[in-house]
Amino acid sequence: MIKVRDLDFSYGSVPILSGVGFDIAPGEFTGVIGPNGGGKTTLLRLILGLIEPVRGSITIDGRPVRTARSLIGYVPQTVNVDYGFPIPVRETVAMGLMTGVSFFPGFTRAEWVKVAEALDVTGIAGIADRRYGELSGGQRQRVLIARAIVSHPKILLMDEPTAQIDASAELSIMELLSLLNSQGITILLVSHDIGFIVNYVKKIVSVNRGACVHQPENLSLEEIMSQMYHCTVHGRKE
C-alpha cells in the first residue's frame, strides 16, 4: 500500500531524514514513534505530498504521491479553529468532502449520506448539531476522524491524535481506530505513547533521522526505546 524507498529530506542545510525505507501493507495498523525533531511529522508530510523529498521515492497503491492524495484521510496534530465560530459538528465533518475553493459549497444528498455514515461509525451522531467549539477534547478528535474518513479513504494518517486528551478518551480513540482498521482502512499513527500503542498496532516504525521497523510482539518496550534513540538500521525493506 505504502512503499518508501531510500528517502532523504532536509530543511535547507539541516538533514531531517536519511536513507529511510519501509513498506506498509494494505490493512496494516502501523505506529510511528521517535524523539521530538526525529522526523515523524516530516515523514507524514512527505507521504501526503505536501513537501518533496531530496532523494528517494514514495508510492501509494503503486502510484506516485501526487496522484494518490485522494486515497488518504489525514488528522493533523493541531487544527487552527476559532472555537467561537458556530459551526456544527455535521458541517465540520462535511468539510472533508470539499474539493473546490468555495467555503460554503452545496452538498448532494449522497454526500450527506456519507456524512451520516461517518458520524455513525465514529459514534458522534448524537452530537451532530452541537457546535464544534463546545465539545470535549475526545469528542473533537472523533469529529476530526469522521472528517478524515467521510470521503472513504483507503489510508488514514494521524499525527499525535491522543496527545491532548485524557487517558479514558485516549483508550476510546484507540478502540475506534481498531474498529476502522478492522473495516479495511490502513492506518499510520504517529504517537508519543509507545507503551500504549503497542497493544493495538501490528508494526512499529521508529524514526530518528533513519527508520527501524519492529514487530511489537517480538520486542520489549526497552528494546524499542533503545533502538528508537540509537537507530543504526537505515532503509530497511521487507
Side-chain angles (χ1 to χ4, degrees):
M1 178 60 71
I2 302 175
K3 294 184 182 294
V4 180
R5 294 289 182 269
D6 300 319
L7 198 68
D8 289 358
F9 182 82
S10 300
Y11 285 112
S13 61
V14 180
I16 304 298
L17 296 171
S18 177
V20 170
F22 59 87
D23 292 347
I24 305 296
E28 242 175 5
F29 192 164
T30 299
V32 179
I33 61 174
N36 291 337
K40 305 184 300 298
T41 297
T42 297
L43 178 61
L44 290 193
R45 287 171 59 80
L46 286 160
I47 293 172
L48 285 164
L50 299 176
I51 52 179
E52 295 287 335
V54 173
R55 184 178 69 90
S57 65
I58 302 173
T59 57
I60 298 172
D61 203 22
R63 297 157 53 182
V65 169
R66 65 180 179 276
T67 68
R69 182 64 183 84
S70 63
L71 302 179
I72 303 174
Y74 176 49
V75 179
Q77 186 174 23
T78 57
V79 179
N80 293 322
V81 174
D82 178 358
Y83 293 120
F85 186 73
I87 183 170
V89 166
R90 182 180 288 104
E91 279 69 22
T92 304
V93 173
M95 290 172 66
L97 295 170
M98 291 172 59
T99 56
V101 295
S102 174
F103 188 74
F104 294 105
F107 294 106
T108 66
R109 180 176 297 181
E111 287 173 326
W112 283 117
V113 168
K114 288 183 179 181
V115 170
E117 291 172 347
L119 290 167
D120 185 59
V121 76
T122 54
I124 54 174
I127 60 171
D129 295 318
R130 289 184 60 187
R131 294 180 179 182
Y132 179 80
E134 299 173 346
L135 305 181
S136 68
Q139 289 172 327
R140 288 175 184 168
Q141 282 300 328
R142 285 179 177 267
V143 172
L144 296 177
I145 293 169
R147 186 181 68 173
I149 67 169
V150 69
S151 60
H152 296 170
K154 291 185 177 182
I155 301 167
L156 181 60
L157 302 185
M158 309 191 70
D159 194 357
E160 300 276 11
T162 62
Q164 301 180 26
I165 59 178
D166 62 31
S168 175
E170 180 179 19
L171 176 61
S172 177
I173 292 297
M174 292 303 298
E175 292 294 337
L176 170 59
L177 296 180
S178 290
L179 172 64
L180 295 175
N181 181 240
S182 72
Q183 295 175 349
I185 297 180
T186 303
I187 299 178
L188 196 63
L189 168 71
V190 170
S191 178
H192 68 286
D193 197 343
I194 307 164
F196 192 71
I197 68 168
V198 293
N199 298 312
Y200 294 91
V201 300
K202 300 167 186 172
K203 178 187 292 183
I204 287 177
V205 178
S206 60
V207 178
N208 188 6
R209 187 174 296 186
C212 296
V213 178
H214 316 280
Q215 302 300 328
E217 67 273 15
N218 296 330
L219 285 175
S220 69
L221 179 59
E222 291 76 14
E223 288 172 316
I224 294 174
M225 287 290 290
S226 174
Q227 291 193 37
M228 182 175 72
Y229 286 98
H230 304 282
C231 184
T232 58
V233 179
H234 297 286
R236 172 175 172 177
K237 303 178 181 67
E238 298 185 330

